Amino acid sequence: MKRRSAEMVTETLLTAQDPDPVERLVADGARIILSCDHASNRVPRNLARLGLGDEALGRHIGWDIGAAAVTRRLASALGAAAVLAGYSRLVIDCNRDPDDSSSIPAVSDDIVIPGNRTLSAAARRARRAAVFAPYHAALTGLIDAALGRGVVPALISIHSFTPALGGTARPWHVGILWDGDGRIASPLLAALRGDAALVVGDNEPYSARRPAGYTMRHHALERGLPHVAIEIRQDGIADDAGAAMWAERLATVLRPILSDGTLYRLWQK
Ligand SMILES: [Zn+2]
């Protein structure tokens, strides 16, 4: 009986009124795949906004402000496929191991998340099945399809970060996160640093080495795909004009890197 009740919770988390847990941008034959783990601040209707108001859900704790707009525009500019998560990271963080305690945070940046305070194991499984699993299945499906065509795809993950943390300003306009395989990260760092107006972080404001986020680790590092994670400071992409400018800037520096056919190989340490 216990098992059956867990399955029922899984089946009922998303209702017919809730949008799909994954937004897919299709590009036939694409060898570049973009991922946006924190694209949306949406919450399934059955979770009653997790007990939060618009202000809290609209903040960075709910999503990566501006990241979805950059991802959609960059996918278009590069002819890339893209997968964007459909629900807030407060429902379940698609860039954390679902077995990690931070996967469904009860507190985020000092804000208590009422809907996450006391969760049963079944409720956790329901979120994983309804939100986390389909997002990662979409990425796995795109990667497997490319490999099936004989193409080793490149994975580029788009995130955004807050201008300040704990009262300390973050100077970087953009940060490049990577660990070991620098085939995209190294030339991308060099290209961005060619613009004297930009402060470019190398594994800042977060390090991909302690450890890498779940998406990069699971889909790229473990499978040997060329990859990079790009963090853009939110104040640069908070409106559509900023997102458009950053998508164009990134497309310009990424195009020569991604046009090198030798990139699309499994990584040999
Ligand atoms: Zn993020």
Side-chain angles (χ1 to χ4, degrees), residues 84 113 129 156 161 199 216 249 260:
L84 296 86
I113 317 302
I156 299 176
F161 63 94
V199 180
M216 282 292 121
R249 171 183 275 152
D260 176 0

Side-chain angles (χ1 to χ4, degrees), residues 2 5-7 9-10 98-99 104 118-129:
K2 209 172 176 186
S5 72
E7 284 167 2
V9 171
T10 300
D99 293 323
I104 303 176
T118 51
L119 282 181
S120 66
R124 289 179 178 277
R125 280 198 299 273
R127 293 198 195 179
R128 180 173 176 169

Side-chain angles (χ1 to χ4, degrees), residues 8-68:
M8 286 172 69
V9 171
T10 300
E11 286 162 11
T12 55
L13 181 58
L14 295 185
T15 67
Q17 285 85 43
D18 286 309
D20 199 85
V22 188
E23 176 185 340
R24 296 174 179 79
L25 303 181
V26 182
D28 284 341
R31 57 183 183 175
I32 304 161
I33 300 168
L34 306 186
S35 63
C36 193
D37 302 329
H38 304 138
S40 175
N41 66 347
R42 195 181 290 128
V43 174
R45 290 165 65 98
N46 279 347
L47 298 182
R49 307 171 60 82
L50 296 169
L52 297 170
D54 285 343
E55 198 275 331
L57 278 176
R59 294 182 52 193
H60 72 95
I61 62 168
W63 59 334
D64 280 358
I65 293 164

Side-chain angles (χ1 to χ4, degrees), residues 201-220:
D202 181 354
N203 274 321
E204 298 282 4
Y206 312 103
S207 176
R209 296 185 175 136
R210 52 173 197 201
Y214 179 88
T215 299
M216 282 292 121
R217 194 171 73 243
H218 179 73
H219 293 288

